[in-house]
Structures are given as C-alpha cells and as structure tokens.
Amino acid sequence: MRVAVEPGVCLNVRHREGAGRPYLFVHGLSSNALLWEGVAEHLPNPSWAIDLRSHGESDAPDKGYDTATAAADLVAVIAELALDQPVVVGQSWGGNIVVQLAAKHPELVGGIGLVDGGWIDLAAAFASWEECERALRPSEIDGLPASRLRQWMANAHPDWSAAAVEATLANMRLRPDGTVERRLPIDKHMLIVRSMWDEPPAQFLPLITAPALLLPAMGPQEEKASRVTSAAELIRRSRIVWYPDGDHDLHAQHPAQLASDLATLAG
C-alpha cells in the first residue's frame, strides 16, 4: 500500500495479516522492505514493513534524506495506519531512526528492536568527516549486470535463502537491458551518512521509555561490543541478545531466530 507522509510524498508499505500487537519494520541504508519478509512470516502478529524515501518502491523527493525526517515519516505512517503502540524494529541506520522515534514520541511505541543498529555513532568511529566520507561512500555499480550481482551475493552469503538474495537485489532498479542502477543515488546516500554523523544516537537513548531489545551481529567479547553495552546502559529497560556468528543483515541471515527474539517484545 501507499502511505502519504507529506504532501506529494508517498511511501510504500508491505503488510502481513495477523493477530496481536503490530510490528513496524524499518530497513537500513540502501536497503528495502522486502528483506523483512523472512522475519514477518515467522511472526503471528500483523506487520508492516516500510520503504523509506528513495528506497524500494517509495517516492524519491528532492529532500528529506536525514535521520530526523525518516523518524518523522514513521510518525506519519503510524498515524495513517492507526497502529496502536507497535513494536518498531530497525536494522542498521533503521535502528538509529527507531531510536529517534522512540525518544521523541514515546507514546507511539510499545517496544523497540534494534538489529545491529541504533547505537551507530560515526563521529566516534572516524577521526574526521572527510575520513568517514571516504570510507563510507558506496562504489559505482550502475550498469553492472544483475546476474553478476546476484551471483556475487549468493557466493558472499551462502547461508542466506534465495529469497533474501533477491530481496537484496531489489535495492537496485533493473533496467531493460538486464543491468542495474541504484534506487538511492550516491548523493542522497551520502546526505543520510552525513545526518548519521551529525545526529549520534547517544543523546536520544536516555529518553526511551519503551522496552528495548538490542540484537547485535557480534559476540559480547568483541572489541566493538562495548558500544552496544554502553547504549543498553543508557536505555531504562533494555536487554541484549548477541549473535556471535551474525552478519550485518541478521534479518536475511537468521530470520526465524530473529523473529523468535523479537516476539518477546509483543508480550
């Protein structure tokens, strides 16, 4: 379905029927709602998965490519769909978006799930914006054959299902000649990265009142795990479930296990 978040801007939302507290799924940077299908099908609850601006099948306006606007878009989606305190789950940048939503609008959220995101602080990870920009600028892939990308993803992620590989391929638009182009252009991608630099989540974490489940793709003994535990300590009601063998896209790699963990938030 299409949901208007402001005049002239509609976002695509995928829906699954069910019973109980609703779930709202938020993808990461340069991803799309399809990647949540594997998780949603393992939940008995109704769920909605959103394509953010210039992602998936959503509109691609000229503005609004920052974390705060994405959080405001979620507010509009929750209101338009009349969702009653949903469990809002975000992956990677989507986790940072969910943190802002839960901090600014605690009355709208019944629980939050942070899937390898929600604690991402680029300013703490890089010495300067210029270093961050060089490291995180995506490569040029427009014009590559879709078949080559499909094979590369299948080889890189042998434990993903074929559906998860195809969902990832949907991050790109397929051209008539069989090549692909980015749905989210690099300039807009970097506007979002800049907003992540400017809007670290630590300032919002203490304002969260809903139960929070942190699901990092790492073990508790890894060096970067301290960022996760520090984030959890700032949230009033939080719990961590570690995925020591996980990759960044846990929803593609371990959909059933992730659904089982997220189900605890709807109790």
Side-chain angles (χ1 to χ4, degrees), residues 178-236:
T179 63
V180 299
E181 63 183 10
R182 291 184 178 276
R183 292 183 183 271
L184 180 71
I186 291 178
D187 59 337
K188 292 177 180 176
H189 181 111
M190 293 310 298
L191 287 174
I192 293 172
V193 174
R194 179 68 207 206
S195 84
M196 295 175 70
W197 172 274
D198 291 334
E199 301 174 89
Q203 61 184 309
F204 301 105
L205 295 172
L207 304 177
I208 296 173
T209 58
L213 183 61
L214 288 69
L215 302 128
M218 66 187 82
Q221 305 307 319
E222 294 182 40
E223 182 179 353
K224 60 183 179 179
S226 61
R227 301 174 190 171
V228 181
T229 54
S230 296
E233 289 169 358
L234 292 174
I235 303 174
R236 300 181 197 181

